[in-house]
Amino acid sequence: MAKKKIPNYTVIKDTREQRGWIFNKVDRCNGMLTETLKTGDYTLQGFEDQVCIERKMSVEEIANNLGKQKKRFDAEIQRMIEYPFKYIVCEFSMSDLIDYPNSIFSDNMKSRRPDYVQAQISKRRITGKYLLKTLLEYQTWHGIHVLFCDNKTNAFKVTDSIFKRLNEMFHGQD
């Protein structure tokens, strides 16, 4: 018996997503549409109510989401809970998160302007320990997968692989 042909998938990117990933027509992907999503930055066409990917491009972005913008971000998390497949995909490492705010300054900046860097670090009330605690709570309490991918290229590849696996699952053999 022949295996059922799995159709290609189409990615939907939120209109508000800036400097995001580009899914071209290649391999098993039909490319990308841009539409307004109620939650998240990316989803699969036809499965918008099941798949939610929230992209975080920097530790500074997640620090703002969990600091100044916490009320808005918590509302986003509450909406994500409804999705069976939900992810926060980070374009930075776990080490960068844990070492925040120190990690946002380059070694060159730290050696050239140590007083400035120390002053900037001391202004920040949010720590890497708090960021880690909060993200682990989202993962543990709400089943939101938090993936640390080190950089934009890896984060794109991980997300593309998630979409491929989910598309295979959604269209798998009966």
Side-chain angles (χ1 to χ4, degrees), residues 20-21 32 59 62 92 99 118 123 139 147 149 154 167:
W21 307 315
M32 185 172 76
V59 181
I62 198 75
F92 50 88
D99 196 30
Q118 197 54 47
K123 285 182 186 178
Q139 187 163 291
L147 305 173
C149 300
N154 289 349
N167 187 57

Side-chain angles (χ1 to χ4, degrees), residues 11-25:
V11 174
I12 300 175
K13 173 180 148 179
D14 186 64
T15 55
R16 296 160 293 218
E17 175 68 346
Q18 299 175 12
R19 297 186 308 261
W21 307 315
I22 297 174
F23 291 86
N24 293 312
K25 189 172 185 171

